[in-house]
Amino acid sequence: MSTATIRHFLVDTDLTQAEQTEVLDLAAAMKADRYGYHPYAGPQTVAVFFDKTSTRTRVSFAAGVAELGGQPLIINPGESQLGHKESIADSARVLGRMVSTIVWRTYAQAGLEEMATHSRVPVINSLSDEYHPCQLLADLLTVREHKGKLAGLSMAYLGDAANNMANSYLLAGVTAGMHVRIAGPAGHLPDEAVVAAARDRGAETGGTVTITSDPSEALSGVDVVATDTWVSMGQEDEKAERVKLFGRYRVDEAAMALAAPEAIVLHCLPAYREYEIAAEVIDGDQSVVWDEAENRLHAQKALMAWLMASSGLAAAPSLEEGARR
């Protein structure tokens, strides 16, 4: 057993700016040579738990583990005793003796933290109520592909700014040295602790944070425009109220006219056209949403390989590794 510290990815700031760049560089290399890297050769098993329904997370992790030479073990709600008949701590102790990585799409961030505390293998947050850090790796990879860099760019997120996506845009964006603007109505803005953490990280990287209820302020000359659904899982009964509340934050042609002429548009999907985003925008020339969706696969593969290597559980992958095979 390795004596190295086990690295986990529970929140975006678990990676420093340099480490985030390493993961994105590796993701680009893996995208260029999709089947050239095999840190899970054996095949080793990766346990992927789903407490919430999923399409992109499920497919990207299952395909990614297989492409890395491993075996994905998908565990749906009700198929395990995790957190019900068995404590999270005890489950972590058992799983660490059987699998090489644990991926968990869940509700409370506290459960992920407890899992990581007791796990002897990397634990990955594939979505919690508080953060969606794997999505942001894909988003940053997409922005870098289309803009050639991250540091110094401005990125605006509009809509429900009190959700996991807004939190991760703040933390991951400033980690990359970006100028992140978050716009939403009063009462639906990021938690002050998250904003403070983002500003602390920005002080290290040159990234900045703007929190506003004025969508025009967020959009003015911005390089990247992002949004997310206004009605997340469990909020269906609030749909009419939320549509009315967030209406002025819709990403439509008028909104895009305020951004930089070459601005690109992100949406983590699923998208509800004519609510948070207009059809002509998500299906238009400025949209990079489909590249963003594909990049979940490449970014997560790179993350898993990087965590395994950084935890002393696999050889460090080289950017040229696939090309030599």
Side-chain angles (χ1 to χ4, degrees):
M1 183 69 181
S2 170
T3 58
T5 300
I6 301 300
R7 294 295 301 270
H8 307 290
F9 189 57
L10 310 184
V11 62
D12 307 82
T13 45
D14 281 343
L15 298 178
T16 66
Q17 184 178 34
E19 290 171 341
Q20 184 190 76
T21 299
E22 289 176 11
V23 172
L24 295 176
D25 287 345
L26 183 56
M30 287 183 168
K31 186 172 184 177
D33 190 355
R34 184 163 168 175
Y35 306 106
Y37 296 78
H38 303 102
Y40 289 127
Q44 299 177 56
T45 300
V46 174
V48 189
F49 288 88
F50 288 96
D51 293 345
K52 297 183 177 184
T53 58
S54 168
T55 298
R56 279 153 297 281
T57 299
R58 180 182 301 269
V59 174
S60 57
F61 269 109
V65 171
E67 290 176 12
L68 293 175
Q71 171 67 45
L73 174 61
I74 306 298
I75 304 167
N76 294 310
E79 293 181 350
S80 80
Q81 301 181 69
L82 175 61
H84 301 288
K85 294 182 179 180
E86 183 173 63
S87 70
I88 293 171
D90 285 354
S91 293
R93 293 182 179 104
V94 172
L95 289 166
R97 293 168 179 261
M98 297 182 178
V99 304
S100 295
T101 304
I102 300 167
V103 179
W104 195 5
R105 180 180 176 96
T106 189
Y107 294 92
Q109 184 76 10
L112 285 154
E113 292 169 357
E114 184 177 357
M115 178 74 79
T117 297
H118 298 280
S119 177
R120 53 199 266 182
V121 298
V123 175
I124 295 173
N125 175 5
S126 59
L127 178 142
S128 70
D129 287 345
E130 286 86 353
Y131 306 103
H132 199 354
C134 287
Q135 179 66 57
L136 260 293
L137 288 177
D139 288 11
L140 294 178
L141 178 62
T142 306
V143 173
R144 201 173 75 161
E145 286 177 342
H146 287 269
K147 292 295 185 180
K149 65 175 185 176
L150 293 173
L153 293 179
S154 56
M155 177 167 62
Y157 171 88
L158 276 68
D160 184 354
N163 69 6
N164 51 7
M165 285 303 301
N167 290 343
S168 280
Y169 273 117
L170 273 173
L171 297 176
V174 297
T175 294
M178 300 179 76
H179 305 295
V180 184
R181 309 173 190 175
I182 304 292
H188 294 270
L189 294 171
D191 184 271
E192 291 182 4
V194 176
V195 175
R199 288 188 168 133
D200 286 346
R201 177 54 62 91
E204 302 170 6
T205 66
T208 62
V209 171
T210 300
I211 307 296
T212 180
S213 289
D214 181 358
S216 298
E217 179 184 0
L219 288 164
S220 179
V222 78
D223 300 301
V224 182
V225 178
T227 190
D228 186 21
T229 179
W230 296 337
V231 185
S232 296
M233 286 179 279
Q235 299 173 332
E236 291 80 6
D237 292 343
E238 306 170 28
K239 181 176 179 179
E241 178 184 350
R242 293 178 73 83
V243 167
K244 182 179 180 180
L245 178 66
F246 296 116
R248 66 190 289 248
Y249 299 93
R250 187 166 79 118
V251 178
D252 54 19
E253 289 185 324
M256 292 306 299
L258 298 173
E262 301 301 318
I264 59 174
V265 176
L266 299 171
H267 191 307
C268 66
L269 301 175
Y272 300 93
R273 289 166 173 80
E274 308 315 327
Y275 287 96
E276 73 273 6
I277 192 165
E280 62 265 23
V281 173
I282 193 171
D283 298 320
D285 293 340
Q286 289 174 282
S287 172
V288 295
V289 168
W290 316 116
D291 292 341
E292 176 190 9
E294 176 191 344
N295 282 339
R296 285 291 299 275
L297 171 68
H298 310 301
Q300 288 164 184
K301 286 173 64 177
L303 174 66
M304 289 186 285
W306 188 91
L307 289 172
M308 288 288 285
S310 297
S311 301
L313 302 174
S318 163
L319 298 183
E320 295 80 28
E321 179 177 344
R324 292 199 305 267
R325 291 183 183 274

